[in-house]
Amino acid sequence: MPTPLPHPTGPRTYPALLSPLDLGRFEVRNRIVMGSMHVGLEDRPADAKKLAAYLGERARGGAGLIVTGGFSPDRTGRLTPRGAQATDRALRAHRMVTREVHEADGRILLQLLHAGRYAFHPLGASAGRARSRLSPFRARRLTRRGVGRTVDHFAEAARRAVDAGYDGVEIMGSEGYLLNQFLAPTTNRRRDRWGRGAEGRRAMPLAIARAVREAIGEDALLSYRISLLDLVPGGQTWDETAALASGLTERGVDVLSTGIGWHEARVPTIVTSVPRAAFVEQTARLREHVEVPVVASNRIHDPEVAEQVLTDGHADLISMARPLLADPHLPAKLADGRAPQVVACISCNQACLDKVFEGERASCLVNPRAGHETELVLRPVTQRRARKVAVVGAGPAGLEAALSAAERGHVVTLFEAGEEIGGQLRLAAHIPGKEDYAQALRSWRMRLAAAGVGIRLGTRPAADDLLGFHDVIVATGVVPRVIDLPVDGGPQVISYADLLEGRAEPGERVAIIGAGGIGVDVAEYLTSPRPSPTLETARWTTHWGVVEADEEHRGGVTTRPPGSADDGRLAREVHLLQRKETRIGAGLGRTTGWVHRTELRHAGVIHHRGVTYRRIDADGLHLIEDGAEHTLAVDTVVVCAGQVSANDLADEVRAARQGRTPRVHVIGGADVAAELDAERAIRQAVEVAAGL
């Protein structure tokens, strides 16, 4: 089984997290902030109704304070050519957003975000003429007059937001956007009043804070998202950040919301391999320096961790953006004593941030209704219309199908041939850095029990056993593909499932056939330090080179590669092979793939592309690469060459029913095995359950 993650000890009550807090301008009902996360509903005024439904559900679920996705104060600062901008037209449509939140007794801020050189269009502008790795366009240098106009635009946009009913605004000064670009010497080399030393570099953020405070008046809340660690060479020092924080509060900022790392930083800050609350000591340091409330963020997705952060005095509020994407009713469940039923965010980024960076609407892998509240609706059924539903297979698709059907009011029985639930997700939880996947399975267990789902483990039903049901949902998943390769002795040949389940022990020289997501995971499993740095923050920061942000290490990061310290990495020769000519790991997520590729590179994993497999014998694995035949003298070959759907049961039930019930639905890997797309599988499960 995966190594269980440490949890703070104590009862499952949350007195600190659920206590109200007076922010000066108004009181919030608890310490839970839904931090800013762009979902793609912000960009068009026509989507205001969908945005209202999305944010309104989080307000009804009990979030104390909600911050919208970022809205630019002007055209120059838009993230994309048609990106969100706080225009009169857009914010008139947002009256329904603020009304929806206020009717649920919530509070909401509009975030003002200027992309700077992150703009994905030719109008972008920054402190200097430069291009970031996130955009193909080179930003122009803002003139002195242009800086002044930008300050005015922030103030005007803030005024419009308050007029639209927002309780205030948040100024985005973190993550490497425009204000962060003015603050860091690596991007601000100006010689005028908006540069020329640390005081000049912070002049623009301070001017914007003052102008926005004057524009929104005394009753509205002003939050500033401040970068505590830039994590890029040439970033800010701690002393500069502290001076900025003092200046912001002097100019009327009510709350400091903390951000960690630029989007182009080469240190992960939010993916699942980052330890829980990894950067909270930085937040605590800021809280000691200022007298306004401070919001902690980054990988504080577990309510128990959040409670501990508050109890220890490290912060005043907790930002839980992705957790509230996963479960909009998280605060209400904590208040009602249903904490074990909270839908666990696994910080995978697959359906949220990866989608945003691809220009698509964001949702959530474990909650496909997120961002689709008006389109994917689970309507309750009366007892008279309840159907008897059998779900066969307890992988992610089967678990969610059973849960969604039961929550609608249907009578559901879940069959699983194995002795444990989880399917491929349970295997993934064995990978160092993905330990939190086990938390998702614990959440499903508790929610299935609460919904009254009957679970039969160790049971493989025959077609005749299912004829008494109205609906049969076949979620029997996949089986590893067997490769057609002559084997004549030599290395042991095992499947990835045998390896991860502990049924086979790898040797010291391993070849992995198949370099998709599972192949990359297996390579990390074979080489990652033990114990996993994810479980120990101090080891993780050493592993990634995170240090004190001072003059010697501006931005709080060293230039040495991750894992170059003696961190317990396994000394094993690993070859990762694929038939495709493309870069290994090219199909991984936009926000997570680079992390995996970095780990493999510094683990010394040897990549082989465009190979043809010939045979396995006593000499090893024979292959053709670059037109020449090679032999890898390995002692273990792990097969990760894809999967095939296991869906014979569907045909058997259809044949046995002879035109009568049950109706048969095939979902998840049993329907499409390609790439093991958990997001698609879970969404398909909810869609089928919604249609019963």
Side-chain angles (χ1 to χ4, degrees):
M1 284 296 292
T3 305
L5 289 174
H7 284 269
T9 58
R12 284 183 173 242
T13 59
Y14 304 88
L17 194 58
L18 297 176
S19 63
L21 178 64
D22 186 353
L23 297 179
R25 315 294 170 174
F26 52 77
E27 182 179 87
V28 289
R29 56 190 167 186
N30 55 50
R31 308 301 179 94
I32 299 172
V33 178
M34 183 174 185
S36 175
M37 173 173 282
H38 199 86
V39 295
L41 296 173
E42 301 87 352
D43 298 334
R44 299 192 313 149
D47 286 331
K49 184 177 180 180
K50 295 177 182 179
L51 183 63
Y54 162 70
L55 296 176
E57 184 162 351
R58 273 80 196 158
R60 289 189 294 277
L65 181 64
I66 293 171
V67 184
T68 69
F71 285 77
S72 174
D74 53 34
R75 289 182 63 198
T76 297
R78 289 181 178 183
L79 282 165
T80 63
R82 299 182 183 274
Q85 183 180 339
T87 62
D88 285 329
R89 177 170 173 261
L91 293 185
R92 276 197 302 270
H94 276 229
R95 292 187 183 278
M96 70 175 74
V97 176
T98 56
R99 182 170 60 249
E100 188 87 8
V101 171
H102 291 151
E103 287 177 353
D105 198 28
R107 296 286 191 169
I108 184 167
L109 307 180
L110 183 100
Q111 187 185 77
L112 295 175
L113 181 156
H114 192 297
R117 68 180 194 149
Y118 284 178
F120 206 83
H121 56 77
L123 299 180
S126 183
R129 187 172 182 270
R131 185 178 72 85
S132 80
R133 68 179 66 182
L134 302 185
S135 173
F137 300 98
R138 185 178 299 277
R140 61 182 171 83
R141 180 184 185 272
L142 276 171
T143 65
R144 284 176 290 179
R145 182 175 295 178
V147 173
R149 282 198 300 264
T150 302
V151 172
D152 293 340
H153 293 163
F154 268 89
E156 292 161 5
R159 185 183 300 110
R160 286 193 288 269
V162 173
D163 289 344
Y166 282 97
D167 297 295
V169 297
E170 177 172 277
I171 299 169
M172 168 53 91
S174 184
E175 270 69 33
Y177 292 112
L178 178 71
L179 303 192
N180 223 168
Q181 293 161 25
F182 264 84
L183 288 163
T186 190
T187 45
N188 185 353
R189 299 172 184 174
R190 302 172 71 104
R191 305 305 300 169
D192 59 12
R193 59 172 294 204
W194 306 108
R196 203 171 52 222
E199 185 175 352
R201 290 195 297 269
R202 58 178 173 264
M204 185 183 188
L206 294 180
I208 288 174
R210 183 191 298 277
V212 169
R213 167 48 69 199
E214 292 174 355
I216 63 178
E218 291 301 313
D219 295 332
L221 189 80
L222 177 54
S223 173
Y224 185 96
R225 187 163 172 88
I226 185 171
S227 179
L228 294 190
L229 275 175
D230 292 338
L231 296 180
V232 292
Q236 298 168 92
T237 67
W238 169 255
D239 289 341
E240 291 168 356
T241 299
L244 172 66
S246 297
L248 291 169
T249 59
E250 290 168 4
R251 286 157 179 79
V253 168
D254 301 300
V255 175
L256 288 172
S257 182
T258 61
I260 303 292
W262 291 27
H263 286 315
E264 58 194 291
R266 296 292 88 184
V267 175
T269 58
I270 56 174
V271 301
T272 192
S273 60
V274 176
R276 296 174 172 182
F279 303 101
V280 75
E281 289 186 4
Q282 300 293 325
T283 308
R285 190 175 184 184
L286 177 67
R287 188 171 185 257
E288 293 176 356
H289 182 74
V290 296
E291 296 182 359
V292 300
V294 173
V295 186
S297 67
N298 289 66
R299 284 286 285 150
I300 310 178
H301 68 292
D302 186 294
E304 292 189 45
V305 175
E307 177 72 14
Q308 196 69 54
V309 169
L310 294 174
T311 301
D312 291 344
H314 293 327
D316 302 283
L317 302 110
I318 304 293
S319 177
M320 303 183 83
R322 288 175 299 170
L324 284 167
L325 201 66
D327 193 337
H329 301 284
L330 182 153
K333 288 179 179 179
L334 300 184
D336 294 344
R338 295 181 290 143
Q341 297 176 37
V342 168
V343 182
C345 169
I346 57 176
S347 303
C348 66
N349 292 355
Q350 291 179 34
C352 54
L353 292 177
D354 283 350
K355 296 292 186 184
V356 171
F357 278 95
E358 294 298 333
E360 301 177 29
R361 192 194 310 185
S363 186
C364 177
L365 182 139
V366 294
N367 176 23
R369 290 193 64 248
H372 299 268
E373 286 76 13
T374 62
E375 301 147 298
L376 186 51
V377 181
L378 293 173
R379 293 186 173 87
V381 297
T382 62
Q383 186 173 0
R384 183 174 63 86
R385 297 181 64 86
R387 301 175 67 85
K388 289 180 61 180
V389 180
V391 179
V392 185
L399 293 170
E400 192 58 38
L403 180 64
S404 296
E407 289 181 338
R408 287 193 62 203
H410 297 299
V411 180
V412 181
T413 303
L414 175 62
F415 298 89
E416 167 55 43
E419 295 299 331
E420 298 180 69
I421 67 171
Q424 297 292 316
L425 192 67
R426 181 170 56 83
L427 294 181
H430 292 267
I431 307 300
K434 292 188 175 182
E435 292 86 354
D436 268 357
Y437 285 24
Q439 188 179 22
L441 297 180
R442 289 194 293 269
S443 168
W444 258 310
R445 288 190 197 99
M446 301 306 297
R447 288 181 287 143
L448 289 167
V453 174
I455 303 178
R456 299 185 184 178
L457 298 176
T459 304
R460 189 187 302 272
D464 290 343
D465 300 328
L466 301 172
L467 297 182
F469 291 90
H470 296 109
D471 292 88
V472 173
I473 301 176
V474 177
T476 41
V478 299
V479 293
R481 186 185 301 277
V482 178
I483 58 171
D484 184 15
L485 190 64
V487 178
D488 183 16
Q492 65 166 335
V493 180
I494 61 177
S495 73
Y496 68 87
D498 289 333
L499 174 69
L500 298 179
E501 294 273 30
R503 294 189 293 267
E505 189 68 27
E508 294 303 310
R509 300 183 306 280
V510 183
I512 303 170
I513 294 180
I518 292 177
V520 170
D521 275 355
V522 167
E524 289 198 56
Y525 177 82
L526 292 169
T527 59
S528 291
R530 298 293 196 274
S532 169
T534 299
L535 304 180
E536 298 179 12
T537 301
R539 289 182 63 238
W540 182 88
T541 54
T542 299
H543 179 76
W544 281 96
V546 179
V547 295
E548 170 80 12
D550 53 24
E551 284 291 345
E552 182 180 359
H553 300 107
R554 280 190 163 272
V557 64
T558 65
T559 56
R560 66 174 177 76
S564 56
D566 182 11
D567 58 3
R569 190 181 293 278
L570 300 182
R572 180 179 276 130
E573 179 184 307
V574 175
H575 299 262
L576 186 55
L577 306 100
Q578 69 178 18
R579 295 181 186 273
K580 297 178 182 178
E581 293 281 359
T582 55
R583 178 180 61 164
I584 285 179
L588 299 176
R590 178 81 175 269
T591 64
T592 57
W594 70 269
V595 180
H596 298 298
R597 290 190 292 269
T598 300
E599 291 283 25
L600 295 184
R601 183 167 62 252
H602 293 295
V605 173
I606 304 166
H607 294 183
H608 302 263
R609 301 182 295 173
V611 304
T612 301
Y613 307 109
R614 300 300 299 269
R615 66 186 182 278
I616 297 173
D617 60 21
D619 293 327
L621 172 62
H622 297 259
L623 53 91
I624 296 176
E625 184 178 8
D626 295 329
E629 186 161 344
H630 300 276
T631 302
L632 298 181
V634 296
D635 47 39
T636 306
V637 175
V638 183
V639 180
C640 305
Q643 304 79 29
V644 293
S645 296
N647 54 18
D648 293 345
L649 181 63
D651 293 333
E652 294 169 5
V653 174
R654 291 187 183 108
R657 69 184 182 179
Q658 297 181 348
R660 302 187 300 274
T661 55
R663 296 185 301 185
V664 179
H665 316 266
V666 183
I667 65 172
D671 180 34
V672 179
E675 300 299 330
L676 285 184
D677 189 340
E679 179 205 348
R680 179 194 56 79
I682 294 173
R683 183 181 66 250
Q684 189 178 27
V686 177
E687 290 171 346
V688 167
L692 294 176

